[in-house]
Amino acid sequence: MQPQGGSIWGNINLCIEIALNIYYIVGNHEEGIMIPKKHAEETFSDKTVAAGKESDGCLYYPKGETMDMPLYEMMLKRAAMARKMELAAAGQMEEIRKRGNGMALTLLEGIEPPPLADDSARQIREGIFLTGGEEPRFMIHEKAAEYFLSPYACEFGRNENGYFSYTLQSAAIPLYELKKVFPECRDMIVSEESLLATICTSYPAYREEYNAVVPKEEQIPLVEAPENLFLQEQLDRVQMAVDEAVQEKMEEEDEEYGEQVYYGLEG
């Protein structure tokens, strides 16, 4: 029951129960937190209990003085509870993902490819595509993302016409999660070490957030390896760049050789 009438701060003009048996009150002379002493002793640390001023079986914590002490402990307890709920939810989502293939057949059946995808686009499976061209994109339909990606993974994609779009580099994030669900996504990864290294080096905030809500055995380890070599498309691009550099070097050497022969004949 909320306190009424008077307090050590004068008559109570306003009383709000901000948590069970914890009240924010405004009196004629002052305002702050008031807690029944018994409840405070059961809920808060000895230091916080001792900081309260006792009157009529209650402890008072004035605003601007000791009020932040019970508030801080109350927020810590709420944060701990929220963390437990988040961990539980993450565990439930993981179980759903493990059974994801059967669910995906129903949820993702008949999904159209990305509107801007050309003939070079490759369907990994329903709702998941890899586009071609100069700047390939890893595309995940928002319905697939909703069921099979964490909110953290979605934050690193750009929603374009109903699809979350990732560069070849940022594709490391959704692929890390999707490889646990779909064999087709797991088969795309040619180097697990490079995938993990890309996340660790380029996306440490994602790794931190993801590791905070999954069991220790499922956390992303810290890995040192070459980045951006976890897809065949990336390896092909590296090889193409090497081939072009070799060809350019050979052409330069041919030109230099030709010039030397030419000038030799002039002499």
Side-chain angles (χ1 to χ4, degrees):
M1 181 179 294
Q2 290 192 354
Q4 300 176 355
S7 70
I8 62 172
W9 298 329
N11 289 331
I12 298 175
N13 298 324
L14 176 66
C15 178
I16 302 173
E17 189 172 15
I18 59 175
L20 181 63
N21 292 326
I22 301 176
Y23 304 94
Y24 186 88
I25 67 170
V26 178
N28 289 344
H29 311 303
E30 206 163 358
E31 61 185 274
I33 299 294
M34 183 180 73
I35 310 168
K37 184 179 180 182
K38 183 178 180 180
H39 182 71
E41 291 172 340
E42 295 172 349
T43 306
F44 298 106
S45 66
D46 293 342
K47 188 173 183 179
T48 294
V49 171
K53 185 174 182 179
E54 184 176 357
S55 177
D56 295 328
C58 292
L59 297 179
Y60 289 82
Y61 300 85
K63 182 179 180 180
E65 297 179 25
T66 57
M67 186 180 80
D68 285 345
M69 295 180 69
L71 283 180
Y72 180 72
E73 289 197 35
M74 186 175 71
M75 292 298 105
L76 280 180
K77 292 179 184 294
R78 287 184 178 178
M81 179 60 69
R83 175 73 183 279
K84 289 180 180 178
M85 293 175 66
E86 192 172 11
L87 287 170
Q92 292 172 359
M93 289 177 66
E94 186 63 27
E95 287 301 314
I96 292 174
R97 292 190 185 107
K98 289 177 181 177
R99 303 190 297 270
N101 262 313
M103 182 168 62
L105 290 175
T106 302
L107 292 173
L108 308 180
E109 186 176 3
I111 285 182
E112 295 292 329
L116 300 180
D118 57 23
D119 293 338
S120 63
R122 175 160 60 100
Q123 178 175 303
I124 309 305
R125 65 163 302 143
E126 296 87 349
I128 303 175
F129 291 81
L130 184 65
T131 67
E134 290 296 320
E135 297 182 1
R137 310 288 292 186
F138 186 66
M139 310 286 288
I140 308 167
H141 193 273
E142 57 189 2
K143 185 179 290 186
E146 178 184 356
Y147 282 97
F148 302 114
L149 288 183
S150 70
Y152 310 123
C154 291
E155 288 178 3
F156 287 87
R158 185 171 70 241
N159 198 321
E160 299 175 346
N161 300 309
Y163 273 81
F164 282 96
S165 173
Y166 299 83
T167 64
L168 290 185
Q169 175 175 289
S170 62
I173 293 174
L175 277 175
Y176 179 79
E177 299 186 12
L178 293 174
K179 71 184 177 68
K180 304 176 183 179
V181 183
F182 302 122
E184 299 90 340
C185 291
R186 184 170 62 249
D187 292 343
M188 292 180 64
I189 301 168
V190 296
S191 172
E192 179 83 8
E193 291 77 15
S194 180
L195 178 110
L196 295 173
T198 303
I199 292 175
C200 293
T201 303
S202 298
Y203 306 102
Y206 165 77
R207 177 175 178 265
E208 182 179 350
E209 293 288 348
Y210 184 87
N211 285 354
V213 297
V214 298
K216 186 174 181 179
E217 61 272 15
E218 296 178 14
Q219 292 181 356
I220 301 172
L222 187 61
V223 173
E224 293 185 5
E227 297 178 66
N228 300 318
L229 296 176
F230 55 88
L231 292 172
Q232 185 62 48
E233 286 75 11
Q234 294 169 322
L235 295 176
D236 292 343
R237 284 169 172 260
V238 171
Q239 186 61 53
M240 186 181 299
V242 170
D243 291 344
E244 290 177 353
V246 170
Q247 182 65 29
E248 184 177 341
K249 181 66 174 176
M250 291 176 61
E251 291 175 356
E252 290 177 355
E253 291 177 350
D254 287 345
E255 290 178 2
E256 291 177 0
Y257 178 75
E259 289 176 359
Q260 290 174 357
V261 172
Y262 176 78
Y263 288 121
L265 291 174
E266 277 289 311

